[in-house]
């Protein structure tokens, strides 16, 4: 059995998971229309970090041995807070670090700003993470489009079970830059206003910046877990190879991943589904197909993209942490931006804070290249 020992979310909505969760329950949203940012001629709606605030936190909390990029700063801030809360020694050989990111330091390709060229590589970001904590093991990088954060958790569990690691520190982070935003603009995928997941009038996604970390521990025979501990129940990755950027129209890969996650869970045990819910036309329809095919149409489902935007490599971790907080709080979170039902298959979109005493939840996520992942957790 593997359980969540500690976590952290560092985002525009707060520096801790608890602050983020409280602000979500209060209906706070981090997005706004951004004009002239990154020198882009076209505005976009996104959730951006306050870099003056980040700099002050770095000065107070980190002791870097080298100059850090903006991406590395938020990556280390989140990881440092979670490791400190877990009260583990990150230098031990039975601790493994896994980094989830889709872009890392890609902004350096436009301006190296005095950093070595190698710093733009994801393996270099992994080295910065491992070196900061003095961890003797190779940091594993997961960069699998939007599913990276969930895929990283599943990989961490495999490493713990097969390699004997007692602890896994899974860190997810991404920040925005001209390259990232212009890429999504080229797809005509961005909404000029707050996104509307599963809504009839949805026109596209929002983007966001964040870092999130979960520290996991393997349960030993002599351990007694506190009440309301979150434990991993199952999960899986499936690629339907439908298209380089478009999801399967029948949700084939996500349906198969969901089936894997539910191998030992009945639909009646599931409190809610935290969907990917990007508010793009094809993604939301595809998710409705997968949810319906899995027999989960009656399970309350929400998306968190209206609060944070799509945080890319951080999304799978950030959204799992908030779902863990919700299951412990015995409630189901609302979908910001949703007003009018607008997907092709039946599903139950939650649009208001709702109580629930059920113990399990599913997190679904999909990405470019036909990638799909699902993961299940339980409150015990």
């Amino acid at each position: 059995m593997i359980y969540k020992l500690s976590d952290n979310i560092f985002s525009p909505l707060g520096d801790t998971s608890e602050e983020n969760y409280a602000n979500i329950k209060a209906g706070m949203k981090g997005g706004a229309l951004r004009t002239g940012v990154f020198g882009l001629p076209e505005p976009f709606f996104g959730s951006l970090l306050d870099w003056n605030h980040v700099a002050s936190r770095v000065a107070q909390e980190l002791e870097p041995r080298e100059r850090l990029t903006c991406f590395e700063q938020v990556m280390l801030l989140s990881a440092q807070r979670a490791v400190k809360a877990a009260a583990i020694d990150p230098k031990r050989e039975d601790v493994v670090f896994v980094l989830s990111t889709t872009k890392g330091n890609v902004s350096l390709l436009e301006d190296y700003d005095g950093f070595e060229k190698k710093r733009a590589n994801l393996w270099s970001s992994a080295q910065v993470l491992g070196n900061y904590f003095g961890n003797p093991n190779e940091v594993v990088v997961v960069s699998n489009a939007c599913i990276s954060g969930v895929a990283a958790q599943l990989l961490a569990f495999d490493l713990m079970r097969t390699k004997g690691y007692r602890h896994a520190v899974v860190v997810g982070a991404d920040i925005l830059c001209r390259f990232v935003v212009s890429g999504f603009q080229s797809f005509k995928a961005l909404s000029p206003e707050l996104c509307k997941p599963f809504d009839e009038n949805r026109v596209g996604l929002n983007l966001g910046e964040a870092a999130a970390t979960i520290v996991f521990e393997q349960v030993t025979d002599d351990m007694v877990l506190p009440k309301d501990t979150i434990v991993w129940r199952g999960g899986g990755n499936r690629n339907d190879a439908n298209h380089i950027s478009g999801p399967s129209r029948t949700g084939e890969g996500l349906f198969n991943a969901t089936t894997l996650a539910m191998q030992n869970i009945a639909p009646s045990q599931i409190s809610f589904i935290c969907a990917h819910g990007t508010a793009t036309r094809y993604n939301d329809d595809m998710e409705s197909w997968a949810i319906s095919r899995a027999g989960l149409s009656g399970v309350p489902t929400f998306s968190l993209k209206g609060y944070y935007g799509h945080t890319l490599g951080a999304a799978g971790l950030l959204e799992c942490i908030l779902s863990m907080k919700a299951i412990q709080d015995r409630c189901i979170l609302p979908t910001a931006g949703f007003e009018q039902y607008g997907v092709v298959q039946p599903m139950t979109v939650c649009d208001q804070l709702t109580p629930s005493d059920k113990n399990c939840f599913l997190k679904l996520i999909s990405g470019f290249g036909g990638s799909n992942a699902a993961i299940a957790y339980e409150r015990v």
Side-chain angles (χ1 to χ4, degrees):
M1 184 182 294
I2 297 171
Y3 77 101
K4 185 209 72 171
L5 180 57
S6 69
D7 57 64
N8 171 265
I9 296 173
F10 195 99
S11 83
L13 293 186
D15 295 357
T16 67
S17 300
E18 292 73 21
E19 187 179 1
N20 274 268
Y21 181 68
N23 285 334
I24 289 295
K25 286 187 69 177
M28 187 179 297
K29 304 171 186 66
L33 186 64
R34 312 291 176 171
T35 302
V37 179
F38 308 128
L40 291 166
E42 184 179 341
F44 68 96
F45 199 95
S47 180
L48 305 183
L49 289 161
D50 179 343
W51 290 102
N52 289 327
H53 175 70
V54 172
S56 69
R57 297 278 73 79
V58 169
Q60 293 177 28
E61 300 179 35
L62 298 183
E63 297 179 358
R65 300 174 184 85
E66 57 187 330
R67 181 172 166 236
L68 299 173
T69 67
C70 291
F71 165 74
E72 293 160 359
Q73 289 174 29
V74 294
M75 171 185 74
L76 291 179
L77 278 171
S78 180
Q80 168 87 332
R81 287 167 174 242
V83 168
K84 183 177 180 180
I88 63 171
D89 181 0
K91 297 182 177 66
R92 289 176 58 96
E93 291 187 355
D94 61 357
V95 178
V96 64
F97 280 74
V98 181
L99 173 61
S100 162
T101 183
T102 66
K103 302 298 187 292
N105 280 320
V106 71
S107 62
L108 293 184
L109 296 178
E110 184 174 354
D111 179 5
Y112 281 100
D113 191 27
F115 290 98
E116 294 182 84
K117 289 186 177 181
K118 69 176 184 179
R119 205 64 166 259
N121 295 297
L122 296 185
W123 58 261
S124 180
S125 300
Q127 286 185 344
V128 170
L129 178 61
N131 291 342
Y132 180 82
F133 288 100
N135 186 261
N137 302 306
E138 184 176 9
V139 176
V140 184
V141 178
V142 176
S143 186
N144 191 5
C146 302
I147 76 166
S148 298
V150 172
Q153 294 173 66
L154 295 172
L155 175 61
F157 301 151
D158 281 343
L159 292 172
M160 295 174 79
R161 291 181 299 174
T162 60
K163 304 295 185 180
Y165 295 112
R166 183 176 179 185
H167 295 104
V169 182
V170 188
V171 188
D174 264 312
I175 64 172
L176 301 181
C177 64
R178 182 183 180 89
F179 175 85
V180 175
V181 178
S182 62
F184 280 94
Q185 286 178 334
S186 71
F187 279 111
K188 304 298 181 184
L190 299 185
S191 170
E193 58 186 8
L194 181 71
C195 65
K196 299 176 178 292
F198 307 111
D199 191 273
E200 175 64 27
N201 298 310
R202 66 189 185 277
V203 294
L205 58 82
N206 300 155
L207 292 172
E209 300 178 317
T213 304
I214 305 178
V215 179
F216 294 102
E217 182 173 13
Q218 285 213 65
V219 177
T220 57
D221 293 338
D222 60 342
M223 291 179 66
V224 177
L225 295 178
K227 184 181 179 182
D228 288 345
T229 296
I230 302 297
V231 300
W232 174 58
R233 285 296 305 273
N237 301 324
R238 284 294 181 267
N239 191 302
D240 52 40
N242 178 73
H243 189 269
I244 192 171
S245 62
S248 164
R249 298 296 187 265
T250 58
E252 190 66 29
L254 187 58
F255 163 69
N256 289 326
T258 302
T259 301
L260 283 175
M262 291 179 58
Q263 284 186 89
N264 301 306
I265 302 173
S268 60
Q269 296 176 269
I270 301 173
S271 175
F272 58 78
I273 299 169
C274 178
H276 193 35
T278 61
T280 55
R281 179 62 58 183
Y282 292 136
N283 173 86
D284 291 8
D285 280 349
M286 177 275 292
E287 282 200 273
S288 75
W289 270 105
I291 289 168
S292 178
R293 290 178 63 187
L296 301 173
S297 295
V299 176
T301 300
F302 62 81
S303 166
L304 295 170
K305 297 298 190 294
Y307 301 101
Y308 293 94
H310 191 342
T311 55
L312 306 174
L317 285 150
L318 178 150
E319 294 173 10
C320 276
I321 292 170
L322 292 169
S323 296
M324 291 171 179
K325 298 296 181 190
I327 205 79
Q328 290 175 320
D329 195 24
R330 292 164 173 76
C331 73
I332 305 167
L333 297 172
T335 303
F338 174 80
E339 295 175 348
Q340 182 180 348
Y341 189 84
V343 288
V344 294
Q345 292 296 312
M347 59 183 290
T348 305
V349 182
C350 189
D351 61 355
Q352 58 186 337
L353 196 64
T354 307
S356 174
D357 283 330
K358 295 182 179 180
N359 296 328
C360 297
F361 75 85
L362 287 173
K363 169 62 194 156
L364 310 184
I365 199 160
S366 301
F368 287 167
S371 57
N372 300 273
I375 197 165
Y377 286 100
E378 182 180 11
R379 180 187 72 234
V380 297

